[in-house]
Amino acid sequence: MCGIIGAAGSDGGPDAIDVLFEGLSALEYRGYDSAGVALANSPLEVYKARGELEALRSTVPAAELRGRTTGIGHTRWSTHGPPSDANAHPHTDTDRRVAVVHNGIIENYQSLRDELIGAGVEFASDTDTEVVPHLIASQLDAGAEPEPAFRRAVDRIEGSYAIAAVFEGETGIYGVRNESPLVLGVGEETRYLASDVPAFIAQTDRVVYLEDGEFVHLTGDGVRVTDSSGRPVETSVETVDWDAEDTGKSGYDHYMLKEIHEQPTALRQCLRGRVDELRGEVTLEECSLEDAGRIQFVACGTSYHAALYGAALCRRNGVGATAYIASEYTTDRIPVDEETLVVGVTQSGETADTLRALREAGQAGARTLVVTNTVGSSATRACDETMYIRAGPEVGVAATKTFASQQLALTLLAGELSDSVSYADIKSLRAVPDQIQSVLDTSRARAVAEELVGSDAFFFIGRDLAYPVALEGALKCKEITYEHAEGFAAGELKHGPLALVTADTPVVAVVTGDGSTARKTLSNIKEVEARDAPVVVVTDGQSEAGRYADYVLEVPATDELNVAVVANVQLQLFAYWLANLMGRSIDKPRNLAKSVTVE
């Protein structure tokens, strides 16, 4: 979602305008529709523009801003008010004494706005954010210095927020977070403030993760972190274990394609140190799962599909488990007690709906575990236990390697919860990365996409463990092609959706193994074939699915518990090549954001 970058440098340090643009460029993956920067000192210089970074860059007189070493920047994903120059951040008070950037939602902004308008303030935007600089200005008018003015303004607002502000005549940055990520970067000459580590990883790998309610003041000389009462907070500097090259394209045309091809490595990282083939054991030392009773998964989007997969695996192993869409989860209607384990699945660890569900479950007495990719994220601090999927940085908005890593991590989790993992299971798990590599090396997804591009809609079907994968395949398709795509449990087609099937609506079926599930799915394939729909099957060749298909995407034969992980890769490649042929913005699909930090 929205991205923040701030840089506070010492005299003679790098020009802030260059650092800000580099940071904003690194944050483009989060999704945005406008951008802006503010340079500190006298006078404050503020530039902002609707559209991509190049639109902003064309408005900034960079040569005139050389020598300024402190500033803030922002990429906006619209919530309050449409994309426009006026609604882009940073926002200022009427006299341009303070400039503010903000991620999150200010829930009481309307009452604050009404109050300020009643006091004679004129607003220049439709945003909730603009109340913040005006609140700060009212404190400055009352005689407060910048820091107490900033604190008093923050005391007035309710909701989720990460805020950074610069003041006229000062060469520092003030920041605060509450339920929205904000991280510090500690460099030699410059200190950084950002919504995510990639914004400054090219400058430093030394980071400090802020906690909710903590304030920070950055200058070229150092960083001071305090609590809501102004008392100093002791912080620890951590070193992140990846560098700027990890977030490059490495010769691929798109981040998404690169990350699809990184899946074998990501899955090996997920398994490393967690499976013992000789002893037939899964060991998740980072989390304690003893005495887990009822299991409830909460997640959104792609992570929800992984949660469905994990819940199905748990039930197969005799462990009662249910997956819930996090925005629909509430302990008012869903039974929770001290024997309940609530598992949040979130790539970023910052997904607002999932965080709310986890916090609510914890307050109701449940134990909470987060399965995430992001060290130091809000979810890791909100939960009792953490399991990292270890996928490495993912830049493309449409999740690929993180979904596969979630699938494998939840396979381990389900095995640990049921204590039912065998030598054969672990041997099968270890084979998955190589099987995915085989798919990447041999896939015909591009050729199939070339045949079907221009279709009216796409339907994806599967049963059992292939059902969540069908849902994910449809989501990938709609995310990056902008075409209508739906995923269904294969048996549900005949209960309504079959009315939509025509010769111009390809049906993509995931059919693996040769048991009753595969045979029933074959019946569903014949139903759509009778309506002249083109049929694509993703299959391991164990059934007769290929006989009834117009197009076949093959996967290696493997254990039934893992084959859906491998099959998913063909669906990712199919969606990618459809979007590529259509000329879509694959890494930054319209209206979407990588980390959804609002409810």
Side-chain angles (χ1 to χ4, degrees):
M1 198 153 271
C2 305
I4 288 173
I5 176 64
S10 54
D11 291 341
D15 291 324
I17 191 62
D18 294 334
V19 176
L20 295 179
F21 269 113
E22 185 171 357
L24 291 175
S25 179
L27 290 171
E28 284 188 291
Y29 74 95
R30 293 171 70 91
Y32 71 106
D33 48 49
S34 59
V37 294
L39 282 299
N41 217 330
S42 297
L44 280 181
E45 299 282 357
V46 178
Y47 304 91
K48 50 189 186 173
R50 176 185 176 180
E52 298 194 352
L53 278 181
E54 287 309 307
L56 173 65
R57 198 184 295 272
S58 67
T59 72
V60 174
E64 299 175 16
L65 301 174
R66 299 297 174 198
R68 295 207 181 196
T69 59
T70 299
I72 53 177
H74 190 267
T75 52
R76 177 179 186 250
W77 187 83
S78 298
T79 55
H80 295 68
S84 67
D85 291 357
N87 287 335
H89 299 212
H91 291 286
T92 69
D93 67 304
T94 305
D95 297 325
R96 296 173 74 92
R97 290 170 293 175
V98 59
V100 168
V101 294
H102 159 239
N103 290 354
I105 296 288
I106 297 175
E107 295 174 356
N108 63 332
Y109 91 97
Q110 190 61 61
S111 62
L112 293 171
R113 185 183 179 104
D114 292 344
E115 174 189 319
L116 289 162
I117 290 173
V121 173
E122 294 186 5
F123 280 75
S125 78
D126 304 313
T127 68
D128 57 336
T129 301
E130 196 185 348
V131 300
V132 180
H134 291 305
L135 287 172
I136 294 172
S138 68
Q139 294 297 322
L140 295 174
D141 290 340
E145 294 297 315
E147 181 167 356
F150 180 74
R151 286 178 175 276
R152 291 169 191 168
V154 171
D155 284 344
R156 297 287 314 279
I157 65 178
E158 300 171 3
S160 63
Y161 49 81
I163 298 172
V166 290
F167 288 80
E168 181 184 24
E170 288 212 357
T171 55
I173 301 172
Y174 295 93
V176 64
R177 70 155 283 173
N178 183 61
E179 298 181 5
S180 191
L182 206 57
V183 60
L184 306 177
V186 183
E188 295 299 325
E189 296 180 309
T190 305
R191 310 303 187 267
Y192 306 91
L193 185 68
S195 48
D196 205 353
V197 171
F200 55 71
I201 192 62
Q203 280 75 38
T204 181
D205 60 359
R206 301 175 65 227
V207 305
V208 175
Y209 296 100
L210 294 180
E211 302 282 353
D212 283 349
E214 290 183 346
F215 288 75
V216 61
H217 183 214
L218 294 80
T219 67
D221 297 325
V223 174
R224 180 168 56 89
V225 179
T226 54
D227 64 16
S228 58
S229 300
R231 292 185 294 266
V233 172
E234 186 175 339
T235 60
S236 60
V237 178
E238 301 180 28
T239 301
V240 295
D241 60 356
W242 46 275
D243 56 34
E245 291 185 3
D246 292 331
T247 59
K249 292 182 183 176
S250 302
Y252 290 93
D253 289 339
H254 297 93
Y255 286 111
M256 182 179 179
L257 186 60
K258 169 180 177 269
E259 288 156 4
I260 289 172
H261 281 262
E262 287 177 338
Q263 289 178 116
T265 299
L267 297 187
R268 290 187 186 101
Q269 291 171 173
C270 182
L271 291 173
R272 187 172 297 127
R274 289 171 166 167
V275 292
D276 187 327
E277 195 168 331
L278 293 177
R279 300 172 64 181
E281 290 181 354
V282 170
T283 303
L284 304 180
E285 293 182 350
E286 66 266 49
C287 54
S288 173
L289 301 175
E290 295 179 2
D291 302 323
R294 179 191 298 120
I295 314 297
Q296 297 174 351
F297 290 89
V298 292
C300 305
T302 287
S303 294
Y304 173 66
H305 300 155
L308 285 171
Y309 186 83
L313 286 173
C314 286
R315 292 193 298 270
R316 273 175 167 256
N317 294 341
V319 178
T322 308
Y324 297 92
I325 296 172
S327 59
E328 293 292 317
Y329 181 88
T330 171
T331 56
D332 290 341
R333 298 188 299 272
I334 298 169
V336 171
D337 57 31
E338 63 276 4
E339 294 183 357
T340 306
L341 175 65
V342 178
V343 182
V345 187
T346 162
Q347 175 272 138
S348 67
E350 304 292 347
T351 309
D353 289 319
T354 306
L355 278 169
R356 180 208 54 78
L358 287 167
R359 288 175 173 134
E360 185 174 330
Q363 291 166 2
R367 291 170 56 199
T368 54
L369 164 70
V370 63
V371 178
T372 185
N373 194 41
T374 309
V375 177
S377 58
S378 297
T380 64
R381 295 191 290 272
C383 289
D384 301 314
E385 310 277 356
T386 298
M387 181 182 183
Y388 291 109
I389 65 172
R390 304 174 182 168
E394 185 176 67
V395 175
V397 168
T400 52
K401 67 177 182 177
T402 52
F403 178 64
S405 297
Q406 287 170 340
Q407 285 178 291
L408 212 60
L410 293 175
T411 301
L412 297 176
L413 183 67
E416 179 81 343
L417 285 167
S418 62
D419 195 24
S420 62
V421 178
S422 67
Y423 167 82
D425 293 333
I426 290 178
K427 186 177 180 180
S428 175
L429 281 169
R430 284 196 178 278
V432 170
D434 288 338
Q435 290 160 350
I436 287 179
Q437 188 62 58
S438 174
V439 170
L440 294 171
D441 293 340
T442 62
S443 176
R444 296 185 60 255
R446 180 174 187 170
V448 176
E450 288 172 348
E451 293 290 327
L452 298 177
V453 66
S455 298
D456 289 346
F458 298 86
F459 298 104
F460 295 75
I461 62 173
R463 288 175 180 262
D464 194 25
L465 294 177
Y467 168 51
V469 170
L471 294 178
E472 177 60 14
L475 180 60
K476 284 286 118 2
C477 189
K478 69 182 75 175
E479 280 179 322
I480 62 173
T481 70
Y482 312 155
E483 295 299 309
H484 181 71
E486 293 295 335
F488 300 102
E492 283 296 291
L493 270 183
K494 58 186 176 291
H495 296 291
L498 202 58
L500 300 173
V501 172
T502 72
D504 294 316
T505 56
V507 176
V508 183
V510 182
V511 189
T512 58
D514 62 351
S516 62
T517 297
R519 291 192 292 273
K520 290 177 181 178
T521 308
L522 287 182
S523 297
N524 304 130
I525 290 174
K526 293 173 184 177
E527 290 164 3
V528 299
E529 186 181 45
R531 275 78 179 174
D532 296 323
V535 176
V536 182
V537 296
V538 180
T539 180
D540 56 4
Q542 301 299 297
S543 70
E544 295 186 329
R547 290 184 56 187
Y548 305 104
D550 299 285
Y551 310 95
V552 176
L553 295 174
E554 297 178 347
V555 298
T558 184
D559 187 280
E560 66 171 337
L561 296 183
N562 303 320
V563 69
V565 182
V566 183
N568 171 65
V569 180
Q570 290 283 24
L571 303 186
Q572 293 172 344
L573 289 168
F574 178 62
Y576 171 82
W577 287 115
L578 279 174
N580 185 279
L581 291 164
M582 298 171 74
R584 301 304 195 205
S585 179
I586 291 174
D587 289 329
K588 294 179 286 183
R590 68 186 182 199
N591 302 330
L592 301 182
K594 184 66 177 173
S595 176
V596 185
T597 56
V598 296
E599 294 183 59

